[in-house]
Amino acid sequence: MIAGNNNHNETALDVALQQMNEAADLIHLDQSTRNLLSKPKRVLSVAVPVQMDDGSVQVFDGYRVQHNLARGPAKGGIRFHPEVTMDEVVALAMWMTWKCAVVDIPYGGAKGGIVVDPKKLSIGEIERMTRRFTSEISMIIGPEKDIPAPDVNTNPQVMAWIMDTYSMEMGYSIPAVVTGKPIEVGGSVGRADATSRGCVFTIIDLAGRIGLDLEGATVAVQGYGNVGSNAAFMLEDLGCKVVAVSDVEGGIYNENGLNTRAVADTVRESGSVVNYPDAEHISNDELLVLPVDILVPAALENQITGRNAKNVRAKVIAEGANGPLTPEADAILRDKGCIVIPDILANAGGVTVSYFEWVQGIQALSWTAEQVQRELKRRMTTAFEAVYSYAQEEKLDMRTAAYVIALKRVAQAIKLRGVYP
Ligand code: NAD
């Protein structure tokens, strides 16, 4: 289980299964399909030996999980984090299955992870670890099989090493084996900030539906990495007042609004938001319960649970992270009237532009920034409208509505394909 505010020792996998089962009950999903979807299709556990700079060899545990491939090849990020567990990777792979189905892109769900604190490794050690991990999982990844992407503590450089290692093993360049690559080696324009852009599109769509004026709306963002920082920039550009942000070291608050790009400069120079001068220090726990219009959790799982949900005062929560709220928190927030844009919709912009990158790679074409943004907007808004309308019609929260839409699509694909042999 990932660190957080979870008092109940509920793992990410417990949460993922409970969410799926609630939606499955609602649509009376047959038991066989439910059994099939409760387990990952394939789990690969690998030992990753790495020659360290001091000459010693350290062995890291790594995983690649493919949850369900009924709708297409497997797709999902790779995470480097000391608290990665196999169960967590299974949960994240399961969420990818639903996410790809909600935005209707032709993929199944996957995820990967290495149990490591990359902050304790040199660049050379991270490169050797990435390459050996890629080699260990190379029998199940590939542009038509399973396409990794960035997640927590992995970035375009790591994707370039994955692409290069896989290509070297196959003997020719295969850019479409991975997405989130640097543009120079086949990446797509607009991928780096796509998760945040998609998340902000869902916030704009929701604001329109509920009459929330984004000009001057207050925002708190937990996690200031790829997803959190880019979301903060875009929300500030829309006229929102980003009053608080945080990272693993702690949070900062300024009631007049933070200069989000200056905060990012501080992170680049010093490693953390806490060194930003023009703000008060707050804890991550305090950030989550600030009285803001919009809260964007963009760090890790299990941050808002039965323990702290009753104190949350945000009107809207847009889940940039995967699994930041537990089902118990969801129920408490629903009763309080807080609207949650669920992860499988709110952060689906990343995998959507990854899909565009993969399509461009396979066709050896490159799209313009305008094409990427237009197509992302179209797909996110279509998915948002489907989820929001279904939730309204059936008097459901948006997470349950998104799950029902996703489960129906995946279940239909399973039914059409049948059980082999
Ligand atoms: P990242 O490594 O770029 O940033 C993670 C941020 O979270 C950092 O600021 C880190 O300091 C902070 N953090 C880590 N542990 C924390 C803790 N215990 N408390 C508070 N802050 C903490 O990662 P990212 O790519 O921005 O991913 C963030 C979340 O978004 C993850 O849940 C990830 O699965 C999800 N996500 C990412 C993408 C993507 O395209 N990168 C796509 C969809 C979902």
Side-chain angles (χ1 to χ4, degrees):
M1 187 193 71
I2 280 293
N5 299 310
N6 192 337
N7 269 350
H8 309 278
N9 289 331
E10 210 173 3
T11 66
L13 186 54
D14 294 331
V15 170
L17 285 169
Q18 191 178 333
Q19 290 169 340
M20 180 190 85
N21 282 319
E22 279 176 18
D25 285 344
L26 213 65
I27 57 169
H28 308 293
L29 186 70
D30 64 276
Q31 194 57 45
S32 330
T33 309
R34 199 188 286 229
N35 291 347
L36 202 151
L37 289 170
S38 299
K39 292 184 202 300
K41 173 186 170 67
R42 193 174 277 139
V43 177
L44 181 59
S45 166
V46 295
V48 185
V50 179
Q51 177 108 50
M52 307 305 280
D53 293 344
D54 66 5
S56 67
V57 173
Q58 269 191 43
V59 184
F60 300 94
D61 291 319
Y63 307 101
R64 184 71 185 171
V65 174
Q66 299 171 350
H67 171 247
N68 182 274
L69 309 188
R71 301 182 76 254
K75 189 87 188 77
I78 290 180
R79 173 177 292 197
F80 293 166
H81 196 277
E83 288 167 77
V84 163
T85 63
M86 195 197 287
D87 272 5
E88 183 201 22
V89 181
V90 172
L92 289 161
M94 209 176 257
W95 283 324
M96 286 306 298
T97 301
W98 316 134
K99 195 179 299 180
C100 294
V102 168
V103 284
D104 207 7
I105 52 178
Y107 288 134
K111 204 82 180 191
I114 302 183
V115 188
V116 61
D117 183 353
K119 291 198 183 76
K120 297 193 174 135
L121 268 55
S122 69
I123 297 285
E125 289 165 342
I126 294 174
E127 176 175 353
R128 292 192 290 280
M129 179 183 73
T130 302
R131 288 185 180 279
R132 181 59 187 256
F133 176 66
T134 306
S135 173
E136 294 294 341
I137 65 167
S138 62
M139 73 275 276
I140 64 165
I141 64 169
E144 288 156 349
K145 294 174 12 180
D146 180 353
I147 307 109
D151 193 72
V152 175
N153 290 327
T154 56
N155 58 22
Q157 174 62 77
V158 171
M159 299 305 116
W161 290 327
I162 295 175
M163 184 277 230
D164 184 71
T165 306
Y166 186 80
S167 298
M168 287 299 135
E169 291 199 348
M170 297 299 153
Y172 61 106
S173 288
I174 309 173
V177 66
V178 80
T179 59
K181 300 177 291 292
I183 310 258
E184 295 83 346
V185 293
S188 175
V189 290
R191 173 61 185 91
D193 60 10
T195 306
S196 315
R197 192 172 301 282
C199 183
V200 170
F201 284 151
T202 65
I203 292 171
I204 295 171
D205 287 341
L206 180 72
R209 290 292 201 133
I210 64 172
L212 171 66
D213 188 359
L214 290 177
E215 184 69 46
T218 51
V219 175
V221 180
Q222 185 200 29
Y224 215 61
N226 178 305
V227 178
S229 66
N230 284 304
F233 304 161
M234 292 172 196
L235 289 166
E236 188 185 359
D237 292 347
L238 283 173
C240 296
K241 197 158 69 166
V242 181
V243 293
V245 302
S246 69
D247 60 24
V248 68
E249 310 277 335
I252 53 171
Y253 174 79
N254 184 330
E255 64 175 347
N256 299 318
L258 298 159
N259 178 334
T260 58
R261 288 181 177 83
V263 175
D265 290 340
T266 302
V267 174
R268 243 186 318 278
E269 286 153 18
S270 74
S272 173
V273 300
V274 298
N275 301 313
Y276 184 69
D278 191 17
E280 292 169 39
H281 283 180
I282 56 170
S283 67
N284 267 287
D285 274 354
E286 287 166 332
L287 178 139
L288 295 171
V289 299
L290 285 172
V292 287
D293 294 309
I294 303 163
L295 171 64
V296 183
L300 296 170
E301 299 95 86
N302 289 345
Q303 298 301 301
I304 303 178
T305 69
R307 189 183 70 89
N308 58 353
K310 57 186 176 306
N311 302 326
V312 169
R313 287 176 285 173
K315 291 187 188 131
V316 169
I317 299 180
E319 293 184 322
N322 287 304
L325 272 58
T326 63
E328 200 182 346
D330 262 343
I332 295 168
L333 293 168
R334 195 161 47 228
D335 289 346
K336 285 165 69 109
C338 170
I339 305 178
V340 176
I341 314 177
D343 46 9
I344 58 172
L345 172 65
N347 71 37
V351 73
T352 302
V353 176
S354 272
Y355 166 57
F356 302 161
E357 179 176 332
W358 178 76
V359 167
Q360 292 169 70
I362 283 172
Q363 300 183 332
L365 281 174
S366 45
W367 295 7
T368 63
E370 291 69 38
Q371 258 176 301
V372 170
Q373 273 204 35
R374 190 177 56 236
E375 195 59 11
L376 175 64
K377 170 78 185 141
R378 187 179 74 73
R379 286 182 182 262
M380 291 303 299
T381 294
T382 304
F384 177 89
E385 288 302 326
V387 170
Y388 190 83
S389 325
Y390 191 74
Q392 293 293 108
E393 280 158 27
E394 301 294 323
K395 301 201 173 10
L396 298 170
D397 58 276
M398 290 179 73
R399 188 187 315 280
T400 310
Y403 261 81
V404 166
I405 290 171
L407 260 178
K408 281 184 175 169
R409 287 182 179 156
V410 176
Q412 181 64 4
I414 291 171
K415 188 167 164 231
L416 287 166
R417 289 179 61 161
V419 178
Y420 176 84

